[in-house]
Amino acid sequence: MQAPSHAPHKVAWLFTYPDTYEIGLPNQGLQILYEIVNERDDAVAERSYAPWTDLEAELRQRDMPLFSVDTHRPARAFDILAFNLSAELTYTNLLNCIDLAGVPIRSAERRADDPIIAVGGHCTYNPEPIADFVDIVALGDGEELVGDITEVVRDWKASGRTDGSRENLLRELAQIPGVYCPSLYDVSYDGEFLAEVTPRYPDVPAVVEKRTVADLAEWPYPKNQLVPLTEVVHDRLNVEVFRGCTRGCRFCQAGMITRPVRERPADQVRTMIQNGLERTGYDEVSLTSLSTADYSDVQRVVEETIDDPANCGQVSVALPSLRVDAFTVNVAAKIKSARRTGLTFAPEAGTWRMRQVINKLIREEDLYGAVESAYSQGWRRMKLYFLTGLPTETDEDTAGIAELARNCVKIGKQYNKSASVTVSVGGYVPKPFTPFQWFGQNTVDELHRKIGLLRDETRRAKGVQMKWHDPKATLIEGIMSRGDRRLGPVIEEVWRKGGVFQEWSEHFAYDLWIDTMAKHGLSVDWYVHRHRTEPEVLPWDHLSAGLHKDFLWQDWRDALAEVGLPDCRWTPCYDCGACTGYGIEHIVASATPPAGGSQGTGQDLTGGASVPVTLSPRPSVGSLT
Amino acid sequence: MHLRFRFNKSGKVRFTSHRDVARIWERVLRRAGLPLAYSEGFSPRPRLSFGLALSTGYESDAEYLDARLREPIDFHDLPERLSALLPVGMDVTGVVEIPSSADSLQQAVTSCRWEVDVIGVDEQIAAEAVARALAATEIVVTRERKGKQVTDDLRPGVLALDVLEPTESGCRLAAELGTQPRALRPAELLNALEPRLEALVVRRTHQWITAGDERCEPLAIAPSPATSNIEVS
């Protein structure tokens, strides 16, 4: 690895992950942008991570700033501090990092010689709660955006930055498609409701559209994945096999905002795997995407990787985010040959009715088939991931989770006496740009009650372990997920009172959040538990992930009517807007869905991918009940 | 084929733990394309064994690693090749083939020599503390082990202890400490001295295998013609 070389004419980026090094280093988005920027002649990139509380105390005591891990350069010496925000609970760490960098935390107080504070990542599709603290928000894929931003900042630097020029710079940055500058918009309220978000200048776009990389094949990054010397999470080679997902799970923000599906060509995936293994020395490669079993060439890539003589039979392949209806004995048999990697299936809900509501169209038989494939190939343990607190969920749906788990163990016992499953339950948080964005989140008490119900149901079930996410953390995430600019002072005060590392249970300060909300006269119930109505102006309405709001509303009504929607990559278009709005299309190698399970069609597709999905007309739905 | 490597660890990389170093080695040996032998079972791992763990933060000129290979290889250029792949601050300074019957490093090594830079004391106070320790018939300490208080006599493990020279912030001690049945750690000894001394930098300079009156370093157990014991400065 070459040391980053700084020069006065270069735009210096400090990519910062607002959590620990161990959590942040593997982040692929950050590594991709770091590499792309460093390949430019007019830019240089380094990285930084949030210092743990002990290091922060040492830094503050010695009056030392946040610094880069690459060359230990102070953060203020960079032109752009760019943060990856993948979780709302890291917002207070964002403030802490800006403050540790020696930069005013409020955008309005920054001067010409202060770095630009940029954010990107899935959370920033609703950046309003942190609008006061950031200068620019990058929406969507960053591969092209970092170059566009670099050029504007480079020219601004060359022109000599003056105090008055900072707002001009932001206005110029706002011309770049995908760049949102919160300070260039006025927000007005009608009572407690949002009335309007309007640009302050005619040249600033009224709606900011996300950026989408049309073809992943043009961006084979990271080419040089970073190899940490200390152990981190996901400590293995990662190769992204596709971006986007059109399964249409209604709770899933990632699937909605990253459309359309763009597969990486199998040959390029293989090259990236072999080059990556050679460069890093890892013995495990993870094929990443939102649903890797849907990758057209998953079987081929897994087989060729396992069988490549260069890998000496010692390289294992991990497939995160598996859909059960596409996980077959063939895949199971192949991935176990070096080392059995952990298996996690995500049925998400306990009954077919509930899965139709959330549009996770997998049948019970699909799950049992996948689980049997795994147990029959020697796995003894697997993890099943579920959500609770979903729209229309009844106790029968919740209890269905335990029923599925018990049945999975029963199947496993046929192959191994010690077969077990771990049921992991998360409380559902409605997210912007999903059909469930109008849904009122369950209360902490309700989530506790449902988890209690499940614990009772699984307590006596041998071989079923249960884990759950703290409903209180789910609530605080919910405040920010769909919050507006009025939350800024709350986030600031929680940070000032020491509420950092809120994703970590030992630091999570529930009461501090609740008290601070009350102190600022904001109702948790209004932000979190209230159902939104169709005409309501949502805080992110001036941003766009390409999805038409009426498509999302129709999908929300379909959900309440328990109507599922097949995957549009293999069927005609519903015109959600993500392709048509940007003149792009799915890039999928195979016109038929992968073999195995029902693929949401209700048909038996275990025989192979030869059966194309047949279309049924999209049912029309009556009024919302 | 069984190979034994000697390597050093100094500078910033000293803050990596023993387990981290093991992982670094696994990746480096794979990157170098060595035909590593793997263990059997559900989760096969390369058959590597490290000697006595070096405390995180300590430096060393004398770390060792035994690696088992599936087939014989020409290893004369390995120190150079591996050093190029290792992180800054880690270099391979020697490699030999060892008999498959050789004792493991953990079993074979009997003592380690350490250089310890202590701070906040001058040479004379350090010399007095050293003299007191050497004159003592026993140095009894209590420590917690698996939740219980146990007492230990450190004195038998102190094979040699000297003040070497003054440094900018204190002085440098040299110590040879026994490793059998339990390795005596420099920090434990410093804690037990009167007055108690505090280390800034600790460096392992040698590991020794003593048998009777003979003493040799772990690379020297090999049949001599096959060795490639190069010195890297």
Side-chain angles (χ1 to χ4, degrees):
Chain A
M1 192 75 215
Q2 282 184 329
S5 100
H6 291 263
H9 72 278
K10 287 188 179 181
V11 174
W13 289 75
L14 183 65
F15 288 105
T16 304
Y17 195 89
D19 206 319
T20 61
Y21 178 86
E22 289 79 0
I23 305 288
L25 180 114
N27 185 279
Q28 294 296 289
L30 198 144
Q31 289 201 21
I32 289 168
L33 301 183
Y34 172 74
E35 202 171 314
I36 289 174
V37 169
N38 272 324
E39 283 180 359
R40 295 180 67 98
D41 295 332
D42 59 357
V44 57
E46 298 200 36
R47 291 163 297 122
S48 187
Y49 304 88
W52 191 247
T53 48
D54 55 352
L55 177 58
E56 186 199 336
E58 298 281 342
L59 290 175
R60 290 199 186 273
Q61 197 194 332
R62 288 169 171 73
D63 219 3
M64 284 173 69
L66 181 76
F67 55 85
S68 69
V69 295
D70 304 71
T71 67
H72 296 187
R73 201 179 169 88
R76 263 197 73 90
F78 290 81
D79 300 307
I80 305 172
L81 308 190
F83 293 86
N84 178 312
L85 299 179
S86 16
E88 292 86 351
L89 289 179
T90 63
Y91 288 170
T92 52
N93 278 18
L94 165 72
L95 266 59
N96 205 35
C97 288
I98 297 173
D99 184 59
L100 275 170
V103 177
I105 61 154
R106 292 191 163 264
S107 172
E109 289 161 18
R110 288 179 202 134
R111 309 285 299 267
D113 60 346
D114 285 317
I116 305 292
I117 304 296
V119 294
H122 287 186
C123 281
T124 58
Y125 276 88
N126 175 24
E128 293 306 282
I130 50 168
D132 295 345
F133 314 117
V134 303
D135 297 316
I136 59 173
V137 178
L139 287 181
D141 297 330
E143 281 90 342
E144 296 165 352
L145 264 174
V146 284
D148 296 349
I149 294 169
T150 295
E151 281 163 24
V152 172
V153 175
R154 179 195 62 200
D155 295 347
W156 176 66
K157 272 182 80 170
S159 72
R161 30 168 91 175
T162 55
D163 248 0
S165 70
R166 194 173 170 96
E167 185 163 280
N168 292 338
L169 169 71
L170 294 184
R171 275 174 74 174
E172 254 183 78
L173 287 168
Q175 307 301 315
I176 301 171
V179 173
Y180 166 54
C181 300
S183 63
L184 301 181
Y185 294 77
D186 287 321
V187 180
S188 59
Y189 300 91
D190 177 6
E192 55 194 354
F193 290 95
L194 199 57
E196 248 188 330
V197 180
T198 42
R200 287 172 37 216
Y201 301 99
D203 55 330
V204 173
V207 174
V208 180
E209 299 285 346
K210 73 161 179 178
R211 281 293 274 277
T212 309
V213 169
D215 189 354
L216 213 53
E218 287 173 16
W219 299 97
Y221 293 86
K223 295 171 183 165
N224 292 294
Q225 186 180 313
L226 297 165
V227 182
L229 299 185
T230 58
E231 195 172 12
V232 298
V233 300
H234 311 303
D235 202 358
R236 55 195 176 202
L237 181 68
N238 292 293
V239 175
E240 186 183 25
V241 294
F242 67 88
R243 196 174 294 177
C245 178
T246 44
R247 287 290 191 168
C249 301
R250 293 174 175 132
F251 56 86
C252 178
Q253 186 191 35
M256 293 288 164
I257 61 178
T258 61
R259 296 172 170 214
V261 174
R262 288 145 291 154
E263 289 191 348
R264 193 184 291 291
D267 290 337
Q268 187 178 63
V269 170
R270 285 287 301 131
T271 306
M272 288 174 74
I273 292 172
Q274 288 313 122
N275 288 349
L277 290 171
E278 216 170 282
R279 284 206 187 95
T280 60
Y282 278 124
D283 62 350
E284 183 176 341
V285 55
S286 178
L287 305 180
T288 65
S289 75
L290 291 172
S291 177
T292 295
D294 286 341
Y295 180 54
S296 294
D297 292 300
V298 66
Q299 183 104 3
R300 183 190 142 195
V301 167
V302 170
E303 276 175 11
E304 289 184 9
T305 303
I306 302 273
D307 295 338
D308 194 320
N311 300 340
C312 306
Q314 295 303 340
V315 170
S316 54
V317 178
L319 305 176
S321 313
L322 283 174
R323 269 184 73 97
V324 301
D325 46 4
F327 184 77
T328 61
V329 180
N330 290 346
V331 174
K334 215 59 204 179
I335 63 177
K336 70 153 193 194
S337 58
R339 208 168 290 113
R340 280 186 188 82
T341 46
L343 273 187
T344 301
F345 295 117
E348 312 284 1
T351 59
W352 173 246
R353 188 202 74 79
M354 190 75 257
R355 290 193 296 274
Q356 280 184 300
V357 170
I358 64 174
N359 205 41
K360 182 100 186 189
L361 299 175
I362 52 171
R363 301 172 306 169
E364 250 171 75
E365 299 90 300
D366 297 332
L367 173 63
Y368 300 148
V371 162
E372 181 152 10
S373 298
Y375 283 122
S376 72
Q377 293 301 319
W379 270 270
R380 280 180 286 188
R381 199 173 44 181
M382 52 209 70
K383 196 163 144 187
L384 301 179
Y385 187 79
F386 294 94
L387 288 168
T388 189
L390 292 163
T392 77
E393 184 179 28
T394 63
D395 285 357
E396 197 186 321
D397 297 317
T398 312
I401 293 173
E403 176 70 17
L404 284 184
R406 281 193 300 263
N407 288 340
C408 289
V409 172
K410 210 179 287 173
I411 291 166
K413 298 270 188 206
Q414 297 168 18
Y415 298 92
N416 196 304
K417 272 187 206 154
S418 63
S420 69
V421 297
T422 301
V423 171
S424 179
V425 183
Y428 174 61
V429 178
K431 297 280 164 151
F433 297 109
T434 67
F436 291 170
Q437 64 185 356
W438 290 281
F439 172 64
Q441 182 176 328
N442 278 192
T443 61
V444 172
D445 285 347
E446 178 66 356
L447 289 175
H448 271 304
R449 192 188 65 79
K450 286 174 176 169
I451 287 164
L453 194 85
L454 265 181
R455 288 179 68 191
D456 289 343
E457 290 282 331
T458 55
R459 192 167 289 150
R460 288 174 308 277
K462 263 196 150 177
V464 180
Q465 280 104 44
M466 208 188 120
K467 288 183 182 168
W468 61 92
H469 193 66
D470 179 5
K472 289 181 172 174
T474 303
L475 176 74
I476 305 305
E477 184 186 331
I479 294 174
M480 283 175 283
S481 165
R482 293 181 294 169
D484 54 34
R485 293 192 182 191
R486 289 170 292 194
L487 291 175
V490 174
I491 295 170
E492 180 175 344
E493 186 167 335
V494 169
W495 162 67
R496 288 203 186 278
K497 290 186 170 161
V500 293
F501 285 104
Q502 294 298 288
E503 283 218 291
W504 297 71
S505 54
E506 65 262 52
H507 287 296
F508 178 56
Y510 177 73
D511 293 340
L512 179 56
W513 283 103
I514 298 300
D515 294 348
T516 309
M517 284 290 285
K519 188 178 151 193
H520 288 267
L522 298 175
S523 156
V524 171
D525 187 63
W526 191 87
Y527 276 98
V528 183
H529 305 310
R530 176 179 62 92
H531 295 299
R532 273 80 167 155
T533 58
E534 190 179 10
E536 182 172 338
V537 177
L538 302 171
W540 51 93
D541 275 352
H542 58 299
L543 307 178
S544 170
L547 304 158
H548 301 313
K549 201 173 176 185
D550 59 356
F551 164 81
L552 292 174
W553 180 257
Q554 178 63 37
D555 208 32
W556 171 223
R557 283 151 50 111
D558 285 354
L560 296 173
E562 301 172 16
V563 173
L565 211 60
D567 190 321
C568 65
R569 99 190 78 176
W570 301 304
T571 63
C573 174
Y574 308 122
D575 193 20
C576 71
C579 294
T580 48
Y582 303 128
I584 50 178
E585 283 179 5
H586 294 299
I587 299 182
V588 182
S590 165
T592 52
S598 69
Q599 302 295 344
T601 64
Q603 302 171 50
D604 183 6
L605 295 182
T606 41
S610 56
V611 187
V613 171
T614 52
L615 274 178
S616 46
R618 186 157 178 247
S620 63
V621 179
S623 63
L624 175 69
T625 45
Chain B
M1 181 186 227
H2 292 215
L3 293 180
R4 176 166 290 175
F5 299 93
R6 185 181 61 213
F7 63 99
N8 56 25
K9 186 183 177 193
S10 54
K12 277 194 281 188
V13 79
R14 73 180 185 277
F15 294 113
T16 51
S17 70
H18 185 66
R19 272 166 48 82
D20 288 334
V21 168
R23 270 190 295 270
I24 289 169
W25 267 103
E26 270 191 40
R27 290 192 298 257
V28 162
L29 293 172
R30 277 195 295 263
R31 285 166 66 191
L34 260 57
L36 296 173
Y38 278 76
S39 62
E40 307 283 323
F42 282 126
S43 182
R45 305 299 331 160
R47 302 190 59 177
L48 307 180
S49 70
F50 292 84
L52 300 153
L54 184 71
S55 298
T56 304
Y58 287 8
E59 299 192 321
S60 179
D61 301 319
E63 295 307 290
Y64 295 88
L65 158 68
D66 290 350
R68 229 183 258 201
L69 304 184
R70 291 194 305 273
E71 56 203 49
I73 57 160
D74 175 7
F75 54 85
H76 74 277
D77 64 342
L78 271 187
E80 253 183 347
R81 277 173 56 205
L82 295 177
S83 298
L85 296 174
L86 282 162
V88 173
M90 282 173 71
D91 292 289
V92 176
T93 58
V95 55
V96 297
E97 182 178 358
I98 55 170
S100 59
S101 59
D103 280 344
S104 75
L105 288 159
Q106 197 92 32
Q107 292 167 321
V109 170
T110 48
S111 65
C112 295
R113 183 179 177 278
W114 302 89
E115 289 187 4
V116 182
D117 288 2
V118 295
I119 45 171
V121 289
D122 61 26
E123 241 183 317
Q124 200 188 332
I125 294 176
E128 285 166 16
V130 165
R132 265 193 289 275
L134 292 177
T137 51
E138 54 174 25
I139 307 174
V140 177
V141 296
T142 54
R143 61 195 177 95
E144 198 162 301
R145 190 161 176 271
K146 292 180 181 168
K148 283 183 194 157
Q149 295 290 318
V150 291
T151 55
D152 254 337
D153 180 9
L154 304 185
R155 184 61 188 87
V158 184
L159 307 178
L161 187 60
D162 277 312
V163 178
L164 278 186
E165 61 204 354
T167 60
E168 262 178 41
S169 52
C171 61
R172 181 166 298 161
L173 308 184
E176 189 176 336
L177 306 180
T179 60
Q180 304 286 357
R182 179 177 90 79
L184 172 54
R185 287 175 286 124
E188 280 180 291
L189 177 62
L190 295 184
N191 253 330
L193 292 180
E194 291 169 29
R196 194 171 157 269
L197 299 183
E198 197 186 338
L200 184 66
V201 181
V202 180
R203 188 175 190 88
R204 176 142 71 188
T205 62
H206 297 84
Q207 297 194 36
W208 295 113
I209 298 173
T210 308
D213 295 337
E214 299 279 313
R215 180 167 92 156
C216 68
E217 73 128 341
L219 287 193
I221 68 153
S224 45
T227 64
S228 163
N229 189 358
I230 63 151
E231 294 298 327
V232 174
S233 56

